[in-house]
Amino acid sequence: MNEKTNIPHLATAFIEQFQQKEQIFLQAQATIETWFREAWRDTPAPFYASVDLRNAGYKIAPIDTNLFPAGFNNLDPKFEPLCIQAIQMAVEHLPGNIDKILIIPENHTRNLFYLENIASLQSMLEKAGFKTRIGSLMSLEESQKIELESSRSVLLEPVLRDQNRLRLKDFEPELILLNNDLAAGKPEILENIEQTITPPLALGWSSRLKSDHFNYYQQVAQEFATLIGIDPWLIDPLFRNCGEVDFMKREGVDCLTKNVTALLEMIHAKYDEHQLSDKPFVMVKADSGTYGMGIMPIYETAEIIALNRKQRTRMATTKEGQKVTKVIIQEGVYTHETWGSDAIVAEPVLYLLDHQVVGGFYRVHSARSTSENLNAPGMGFKPLAFADCCILPDPSQGLNAHQNQFYMYGVIARLALLAAAREIASVA
Amino acid sequence: MNEKTNIPHLATAFIEQFQQKEQIFLQAQATIETWFREAWRDTPAPFYASVDLRNAGYKIAPIDTNLFPAGFNNLDPKFEPLCIQAIQMAVEHLPGNIDKILIIPENHTRNLFYLENIASLQSMLEKAGFKTRIGSLMSLEESQKIELESSRSVLLEPVLRDQNRLRLKDFEPELILLNNDLAAGKPEILENIEQTITPPLALGWSSRLKSDHFNYYQQVAQEFATLIGIDPWLIDPLFRNCGEVDFMKREGVDCLTKNVTALLEMIHAKYDEHQLSDKPFVMVKADSGTYGMGIMPIYETAEIIALNRKQRTRMATTKEGQKVTKVIIQEGVYTHETWGSDAIVAEPVLYLLDHQVVGGFYRVHSARSTSENLNAPGMGFKPLAFADCCILPDPSQGLNAHQNQFYMYGVIARLALLAAAREIASVA
């Protein structure tokens, strides 16, 4: 690892394949940016997003696109000016004149880590020049001030509805900024609101499906791969989905078995085509859900049949006790990046505001392997080096330069963002 | 001086008055930003600008707004991501689909310092994803590559005109970005061009007058001062202008004498009103011109009559041998900021792209006093601290925090930018 620049180490076996792609991306930079500009004109970017990437060297792909990103508190404070500028841009792209913003956070009062994120978000919106308050969907009798470890605090205030407008007692926002993924369903108080709500309600996890997102991503990856002349598989995780699966009653297991088998075969074929010796695996995930729950790696179809009670219970519910019914089976992408001398497995998480990459960090997990989900208790966060991050390709510095590696991260994250933009356009 | 954060020292006598204003600006931050948002909706910002400020503590004001800014090479490289993002925003605000940009620089081939600026500008435009080339207005037979001290190079290429379009031999730009202030007049080759030219030709120094700019600035300062409830004089330099003045033939000296006298009296009155003990002075400048030439401080009207031949010669011509005819007499604003233990006089210069403050530096000059023009041979440049700069007010940090001081700089620079935007709108 290079301590100085905070860059994980890509396993040596995969560096050459990574740099081949990097070279293609760098040479096509102007073409890529031209293509993105056109794409954003056709389909405006979401207000914000975070994208989890996996970098296997031979393949780099998004595995999750969060439209209600938490973790702004994990970004290097040096990212702040960039975030603030991008927030101004994001608001400028929304209809109407917006001066006052109401953040609707998750219904957490004890998850102080999450509330640090809300404090960071509020602070940035205020520095961007917007009056910003926090309206809680919990049925609060009165405002609740919560002190945080950072010695900041957040003030959760009861949201009121006045005809078709949301407000606080003494605050009438023009914009409702959702930082609540609505996993528990669309709250009635948010339905048919006159003010702009962003991201739109329909993108909450009560209606959104990961498989829809990856359908859009597949199209985007296909178009992009054609543009720069690569196999789309190098940036796109294969996937299949199953409708009703009840892990407890073992219903729908046929569909699961069939699709896991088919997907493992497809991955095998791609590994053979690209002469890769990694062992293919798939990730079985709740098709709607978040927080890294209900996620399971599968290497052999037989494992599905053999799931024990504990494993089935873990798969059967996700955040806030929602039952997993629909399931997505996604190609597992190894992360061959490791952090530090202990070689802890690391995956990059990129943050976007409007269509700008504004920062990111590495999610690391010392107890997990290269094929496992790192979004789990015990994970840690390592900031990406700022000045190098994601928007500063410099071909003259060669393929070992981190800023060129980060440029590729930034492109892939924006492809996932574009898929999300198309998702939003389809429900708007 | 605080070496750690690279902040000049404001003379102690003036700190209290400075912090009074700072307090007002911080408290009004949301109001100020709302006001700016509306202003940019009415009048789009110029593509770029740099603004020279003078900070006397009791008064902080712009004294020059450059619409063809050089000096991008003087910005801290850490500003680059912010610049790149703002460039994307600036281009997005222009009509049409722009992928290729032609920079028209000044006609310098030996001013390597200026060409470093062009190299920095080109590099940022390319990193922002635009194909960018440099078209020289000099009658070049062939392309000329100039190596720079930074081990970069610039390639000056002959500009061709094809009907009403500008091009290079093998490059058809959609945008012509002027970095040439056209002091020598509007070149015919740029007239009636189909492509967007920004800033517009009419803003070149062959047609633009400083007094027009400061007329617009006066209106802007008036509106802004009303908004936050301060005396507009605290942010606005008084001025008067004279039509035809021939320093060599001593023609037009009557007008000059009369206006210098009147202006000194007005400044006296304001100094008395605000109980200031500084000695009033005015700056006599070419009304169209740049590069800090043809600028002279005057404390007593009698000095005008007593100008010796050398002084008159210096006033009589400006850049590229242009004769000074029109003259602006501007209130002199002391700079009470000094740099380092030698207390070198310093003035902030802020850079803007679109309506974003993207960075700046202090111009310092060891051989000049607090009332003199620092834009002169012998000047130096000290970068502003990045993370703190200009867009991150934080009232919780109090009035001594540099980021709050910088926020005020950023607001004043944007007021000057808005004046320039109105100038542009009036000729467009």
Side-chain angles (χ1 to χ4, degrees):
Chain A
M1 191 192 73
N2 186 336
E3 276 290 347
K4 192 174 118 275
T5 47
N6 298 336
I7 309 296
H9 176 71
L10 182 63
T12 319
F14 305 103
I15 287 179
E16 197 186 323
Q17 288 153 314
F18 182 80
Q19 292 190 340
Q20 277 167 11
K21 276 201 304 302
E22 197 182 324
Q23 176 97 48
I24 295 168
F25 276 59
L26 286 177
Q27 280 170 354
Q29 192 225 343
T31 309
I32 291 171
E33 297 303 325
T34 296
W35 184 83
F36 270 123
R37 275 194 292 277
E38 202 167 316
W40 304 129
R41 278 192 293 265
D42 290 348
T43 327
F47 189 91
Y48 53 15
S50 66
V51 179
D52 294 359
L53 300 180
R54 303 276 287 193
N55 183 5
Y58 51 84
K59 173 167 191 158
I60 175 166
I63 54 157
D64 200 9
T65 305
N66 189 345
L67 291 175
F68 307 91
F72 280 102
N73 52 317
N74 290 326
L75 299 184
D76 189 324
K78 290 199 196 110
F79 286 101
E80 217 180 11
L82 205 60
C83 289
I84 288 168
Q85 190 178 273
I87 284 172
Q88 292 172 337
M89 211 163 158
V91 176
E92 202 179 276
H93 285 158
L94 291 171
N97 296 346
I98 293 162
D99 296 318
K100 296 192 286 306
I101 300 176
L102 183 68
I103 302 175
I104 305 276
E106 297 285 344
N107 294 340
H108 299 315
T109 54
R110 277 173 297 185
N111 184 341
L112 298 186
F113 195 70
Y114 172 75
L115 292 173
E116 291 279 7
N117 162 63
I118 291 298
S120 294
L121 191 56
Q122 182 178 28
S123 161
M124 287 194 298
L125 289 164
E126 283 174 345
K127 287 175 182 168
F130 301 97
K131 289 197 172 119
T132 309
R133 307 263 287 265
I134 305 164
S136 173
L137 294 183
M138 292 175 295
S139 40
L140 299 177
E141 297 272 320
E142 54 185 17
S143 298
Q144 189 177 349
K145 186 175 177 183
I146 300 172
E147 302 291 342
L148 304 176
E149 269 193 24
S150 61
S151 77
R152 300 182 294 185
S153 65
V154 291
L155 183 68
L156 303 178
E157 302 186 68
V159 174
L160 309 172
R161 180 159 177 163
D162 200 353
Q163 307 283 349
N164 286 333
R165 298 185 69 81
L166 288 191
R167 58 196 310 265
L168 304 179
K169 203 174 59 182
D170 58 349
F171 186 71
E172 304 198 9
E174 292 93 20
L175 175 67
I176 315 298
L177 180 60
L178 282 185
N179 198 259
N180 181 317
D181 67 14
L182 309 179
K186 282 186 219 175
E188 216 176 294
I189 195 172
L190 297 182
E191 302 258 20
N192 303 314
I193 287 295
E194 275 173 20
Q195 292 125 309
T196 301
I197 301 188
T198 198
L201 292 187
L203 273 290
W205 279 126
S206 56
S207 4
R208 190 180 176 218
L209 292 177
K210 284 194 172 72
S211 51
D212 282 346
H213 175 71
F214 282 99
N215 257 321
Y216 284 105
Y217 183 76
Q218 197 167 62
Q219 293 165 25
V220 168
Q222 178 68 58
E223 293 166 30
F224 180 80
T226 305
L227 180 79
I228 63 165
I230 60 169
D231 178 350
W233 179 77
L234 297 174
I235 55 170
D236 183 24
L238 301 169
F239 75 96
R240 300 193 145 220
N241 56 319
C242 281
E244 301 299 312
V245 176
D246 187 323
F247 282 94
M248 298 315 289
K249 297 189 185 159
R250 295 183 191 268
E251 286 168 9
V253 173
D254 279 1
C255 171
L256 206 54
T257 313
K258 204 180 65 189
N259 279 303
V260 167
T261 308
L263 195 55
L264 283 171
E265 276 168 20
M266 287 164 71
I267 302 168
H268 253 302
K270 291 310 282 186
Y271 278 19
D272 287 348
E273 182 188 335
H274 290 273
Q275 298 176 296
L276 302 169
S277 56
D278 276 336
K279 184 174 168 59
F281 73 106
V282 300
M283 297 297 271
V284 177
K285 306 181 186 182
D287 205 359
S288 56
T290 179
Y291 280 104
M293 293 188 238
I295 297 187
M296 184 171 57
I298 300 282
Y299 296 81
E300 307 283 350
T301 309
E303 294 170 50
I304 295 280
I305 319 287
L307 282 180
N308 63 29
R309 189 169 175 84
K310 189 176 155 203
Q311 289 166 317
R312 283 185 287 125
T313 309
R314 205 169 54 220
M315 281 306 293
T317 53
T318 168
K319 190 189 154 206
E320 295 184 8
Q322 296 306 299
K323 281 180 69 174
V324 171
T325 53
K326 294 181 177 168
V327 157
I328 178 172
I329 307 126
Q330 192 177 47
E331 174 187 348
V333 179
Y334 283 89
T335 182
H336 287 313
E337 287 190 285
T338 54
W339 183 276
S341 47
D342 297 338
I344 302 170
V345 176
E347 66 187 19
V349 183
L350 266 68
Y351 278 69
L352 303 105
L353 282 162
D354 201 85
H355 56 67
Q356 302 287 350
V357 179
V358 292
F361 48 78
Y362 278 96
R363 184 184 286 127
V364 297
H365 203 306
S366 56
R368 297 274 168 133
S369 73
T370 54
S371 61
E372 282 180 299
N373 169 31
L374 306 186
N375 190 353
M379 65 184 166
F381 305 97
K382 304 288 179 190
L384 299 181
F386 170 61
D388 290 350
C389 184
C390 307
I391 59 172
L392 290 177
D394 185 351
S396 71
Q397 296 213 24
L399 299 174
N400 285 317
H402 305 126
Q403 67 198 77
N404 291 333
Q405 173 177 344
F406 284 160
Y407 177 65
M408 194 149 84
Y409 288 176
V411 170
I412 304 293
R414 284 184 286 162
L415 294 176
L417 187 76
L418 179 56
R422 293 186 182 175
E423 254 185 293
I424 291 176
S426 76
V427 298
Chain B
M1 193 191 73
N2 186 337
E3 276 290 346
K4 193 173 117 277
T5 47
N6 299 337
I7 310 295
H9 176 71
L10 182 64
T12 318
F14 305 103
I15 287 179
E16 198 186 323
Q17 288 153 315
F18 183 79
Q19 291 190 342
Q20 277 168 9
K21 275 202 304 302
E22 196 180 324
Q23 177 96 46
I24 296 169
F25 275 59
L26 285 177
Q27 281 171 353
Q29 191 225 342
T31 309
I32 291 171
E33 298 302 326
T34 297
W35 183 83
F36 270 123
R37 275 195 293 276
E38 203 167 317
W40 304 130
R41 278 192 293 266
D42 291 347
T43 327
F47 189 90
Y48 52 16
S50 67
V51 179
D52 293 359
L53 299 179
R54 303 276 287 194
N55 183 4
Y58 51 84
K59 173 165 191 157
I60 175 167
I63 52 156
D64 200 9
T65 305
N66 189 346
L67 292 175
F68 306 91
F72 279 103
N73 52 316
N74 290 326
L75 298 183
D76 190 324
K78 289 198 196 109
F79 285 102
E80 215 180 14
L82 206 59
C83 289
I84 288 167
Q85 191 177 270
I87 284 171
Q88 292 171 337
M89 211 163 159
V91 175
E92 203 180 275
H93 286 158
L94 291 171
N97 297 345
I98 291 162
D99 296 318
K100 297 191 286 304
I101 299 175
L102 183 67
I103 302 175
I104 305 277
E106 297 284 345
N107 294 340
H108 299 316
T109 54
R110 277 174 297 185
N111 185 341
L112 298 186
F113 195 71
Y114 172 75
L115 293 174
E116 291 280 6
N117 162 64
I118 291 298
S120 293
L121 191 57
Q122 181 178 29
S123 161
M124 289 194 297
L125 289 165
E126 282 175 345
K127 287 174 182 169
F130 301 97
K131 290 197 171 117
T132 309
R133 305 263 287 266
I134 305 164
S136 173
L137 294 184
M138 293 176 294
S139 40
L140 299 176
E141 296 273 318
E142 53 185 17
S143 298
Q144 188 177 352
K145 187 175 177 182
I146 300 174
E147 303 292 339
L148 303 176
E149 270 192 23
S150 60
S151 77
R152 300 183 294 185
S153 65
V154 291
L155 183 67
L156 304 178
E157 302 186 67
V159 175
L160 308 172
R161 179 157 177 166
D162 199 352
Q163 306 282 348
N164 286 332
R165 297 186 70 81
L166 288 191
R167 60 196 308 266
L168 304 179
K169 202 175 62 181
D170 57 349
F171 187 70
E172 303 198 10
E174 291 94 20
L175 175 66
I176 314 299
L177 180 60
L178 281 185
N179 198 258
N180 180 319
D181 67 14
L182 309 178
K186 283 186 216 172
E188 215 177 296
I189 194 172
L190 298 181
E191 302 259 20
N192 304 312
I193 286 295
E194 275 173 20
Q195 292 124 310
T196 301
I197 300 188
T198 199
L201 291 188
L203 272 291
W205 279 127
S206 55
S207 5
R208 190 180 176 219
L209 292 177
K210 285 193 170 71
S211 50
D212 281 346
H213 175 70
F214 281 100
N215 256 323
Y216 283 105
Y217 183 77
Q218 197 167 64
Q219 293 165 25
V220 168
Q222 177 68 58
E223 293 166 31
F224 180 80
T226 304
L227 179 80
I228 64 166
I230 61 169
D231 178 351
W233 179 77
L234 296 175
I235 55 170
D236 184 23
L238 302 170
F239 76 95
R240 301 195 143 217
N241 56 318
C242 281
E244 300 299 312
V245 176
D246 187 324
F247 282 93
M248 297 315 288
K249 296 190 188 158
R250 296 182 190 270
E251 285 169 12
V253 172
D254 280 1
C255 171
L256 206 55
T257 312
K258 203 179 67 188
N259 278 304
V260 166
T261 306
L263 196 55
L264 283 170
E265 275 168 20
M266 288 163 71
I267 301 167
H268 252 303
K270 291 310 283 185
Y271 277 19
D272 287 348
E273 181 187 335
H274 289 274
Q275 298 176 296
L276 302 170
S277 56
D278 276 336
K279 184 174 170 57
F281 72 107
V282 300
M283 297 297 272
V284 177
K285 305 181 188 183
D287 204 359
S288 56
T290 180
Y291 279 103
M293 292 187 238
I295 297 189
M296 184 171 58
I298 300 281
Y299 296 82
E300 308 284 350
T301 309
E303 294 170 51
I304 297 279
I305 319 286
L307 283 181
N308 63 28
R309 189 169 175 84
K310 189 176 156 202
Q311 289 167 318
R312 284 186 285 126
T313 308
R314 205 169 53 220
M315 282 306 293
T317 53
T318 168
K319 190 187 155 210
E320 296 185 7
Q322 296 306 299
K323 282 181 69 173
V324 172
T325 52
K326 294 180 177 168
V327 157
I328 178 172
I329 306 126
Q330 192 177 47
E331 175 187 348
V333 179
Y334 283 89
T335 182
H336 287 313
E337 287 191 285
T338 54
W339 183 276
S341 47
D342 295 337
I344 302 171
V345 176
E347 66 187 18
V349 182
L350 266 67
Y351 278 68
L352 303 106
L353 281 162
D354 202 83
H355 56 69
Q356 303 287 349
V357 180
V358 292
F361 49 77
Y362 278 98
R363 183 185 288 129
V364 298
H365 203 307
S366 56
R368 296 275 168 134
S369 75
T370 56
S371 61
E372 283 180 298
N373 169 32
L374 306 186
N375 189 353
M379 65 184 166
F381 304 97
K382 304 288 178 188
L384 299 181
F386 171 62
D388 291 348
C389 183
C390 308
I391 59 172
L392 291 176
D394 186 351
S396 72
Q397 295 213 24
L399 299 175
N400 284 317
H402 305 125
Q403 66 198 78
N404 290 334
Q405 173 177 345
F406 284 159
Y407 177 65
M408 195 150 81
Y409 289 176
V411 171
I412 303 293
R414 283 183 287 162
L415 295 177
L417 188 75
L418 179 55
R422 293 186 182 174
E423 253 184 293
I424 291 175
S426 75
V427 298

